[in-house]
Amino acid sequence: MKLAGAALNQTPLDWDNNLRNIKSAIEQAKEQNVDILCLPEMSIPGYGCEDLFLSEWVSVECFERLLEIKDWCEGVIVCVGLPIRLNNTTYNCACVIRDKEILGFTAKQFLANDGVHYEPRWFSSWIPDTVAEFEAFGKTYPIGDIIYEHQGIKFAFEICEDAWRNENRPAYRHKPKGVQLIINPSASHFAMSKTDVRYHLVVDASRQFECTYLYVNLLGNEAGKMIYDGEIIIAQNGNLVLRNQLLSFKSVDFECAEVSFDTPLPPVEMDLLPVDENVEFISAITLALFDYLRKSRSRGFVLSLSGGADSSLCAVAVAEMVRRAVEEIGLEEFAHKTNCLTPNEISDYKDLPVDEVKGILVNKLLVTAYQGTINSSDDTYRSAEELAKSIGAVFYNWTIDEEVKSYRGKIEHAIGRSLTWEHDDLTLQNIQARVRAPGIWMLANLKNSLLLATSNRSEASVGYATMDGDTAGSISPIAGVDKAFIRQWLVWAQENLGYEGLQYVNNLQPSAELRPLENTQTDEEDLMPYPLLNQIERLAFFDRLSPQQVFEKLKGTYPDEQLRQFIQRFYSLWSRNQWKRERYAPAFHLDDYNVDPRSWLRFPILSGGFREELSELR
């Protein structure tokens, strides 16, 4: 039997785009004489429709689209995802179409309700080993835990989360029923190193349940925050038959392979291939930026390039997005999807070397500005200018001292006294960061571009950012990763991706440069060492430990009194800055957790601030 999966780059409620991708996959399947084609979970409406899944009309619209798709499926079995709403209850379903006939709907049994997932808000779980019927558009269809058959081969489903439920997963019930093929349409979000876990989930299941397993994931930045890697895996009896290249810039990544059920592959033990998180990170963030740019119909990116680590990474990510996308899908398709070149320009540039084309495209898509003050150093200016020049970005340079002086004078006049660094440190720092926002927003408006905010996860945790200043932006692409990772990644990128313009930032200590230069301000002096901050953050909110438990875990890494002070500082800053995290620009989910209250970590804006727990810690 010839099996195929198609990872699709869908968009919630973008019916034309979604059906166009589905039709393209079906046509490729028919050209390749495929027997069974699996498409990702919720591929008709898009997985990220959120509360719209509760609207009756969305399910009706999906079914009408399903009837269109059905007529494309001549001579092939196609498995396509959509919501089915029965008696005011919505089910997450995979529909099986064979030769233009709907055979039935398998409903998801286990709903993801951890981390970034809130499926029980929209869907209900289907009861295992039960099948019902429903009527739609004048016909009756079976729905539930269905076993299908084709060419004497029984097949059934695990839909995404179903496979992650260990001893409760549907595969345990499928095996005694003689199921030889398990199909898994998924929308499994990206996180660094997660593909290792997913790989074992599929390959080990094929061995354990003595079956062939077909797994297909969603692809791209579907709805704004979550990234999907488009993984397609076919395994049999513990053997890997097919595994695709992840995080493709294609709209449809189609893969197929032949599998013999008459002489199945003998069981084997598979070794896990190591995954480089540096490669995963840049592959994911560049695809996310590409999709966000085109789906928001923006014309490019604008960035306040300070010369520091965070803004430097954002700049390199845009440049690398251009390089990776053009290398994979070509100049013409890239220009069409991003609307960055005219037809004449495409014709002029199509035969140029990739590096030259990349520089031209970066110049059209990325505008940067260094907004210095009297407190800025020559080192950060050089870092910003040399990096922008090396990647081809537009680079502007201006100072904001006059604006800062104007605001400062107004307030001093109003309150009847002078502001000093001794008594008004935070106020004088924040006004500089806030004054930078209007000018860079003006550029973004002029260019119809996305303004990139540059906050990282470490800063978000402790509120080490000026609201309406350096947090200003349409999107905050690196708010899902910590500062220590960013710093080591920039060194890796200089050495492995050839971004020599990073040599300047890689020799700098992170600093906000908001105090007078003689004060030699650094981030870690203001806060604590970044690696320790990340450890405390992870223990507190990923492992969910109390302040005292965090102290016990980290005891010995620093002198006890100093460690207590760092832990107290972290929890105090965390508690008082939830309001900032609520207002951050949308951020990509890149690691195995984040601090975004809309996706991974909810925390009260007002709380006791761990006062009692920190008191006991003393």
Side-chain angles (χ1 to χ4, degrees), residues 296-350:
S296 66
R297 298 172 182 82
S298 301
R299 299 301 299 269
F301 301 98
V302 170
L303 172 66
S304 189
L305 187 59
S306 69
D310 300 327
S311 61
S312 295
L313 193 155
C314 289
V316 168
V318 174
E320 189 67 2
M321 174 204 78
V322 171
R323 185 187 71 79
R324 288 169 179 264
V326 171
E327 284 185 357
E328 182 179 2
I329 63 178
L331 174 63
E332 192 167 347
E333 186 174 347
F334 178 88
H336 172 72
K337 286 186 170 181
T338 59
N339 197 27
C340 67
L341 296 178
T342 65
N344 286 339
E345 287 175 323
I346 294 172
S347 179
D348 291 342
Y349 302 150
K350 66 180 181 181

Side-chain angles (χ1 to χ4, degrees), residues 33 74 82 95 120 263 295 360 387 391 496 503 551 583:
N33 296 314
E74 183 177 4
L82 76 163
C95 175
T263 54
K295 291 183 181 184
I360 293 169
L387 178 59
I391 62 177
N496 293 274
Q503 61 182 294
F551 176 77
R583 291 187 54 207

Side-chain angles (χ1 to χ4, degrees), residues 162-180:
D162 288 342
W164 297 75
R165 290 307 178 105
N166 299 321
E167 67 276 1
N168 293 319
R169 63 189 294 180
Y172 280 100
R173 295 186 292 278
H174 293 335
K175 184 178 178 181
K177 296 174 185 176
V179 169
Q180 295 164 271

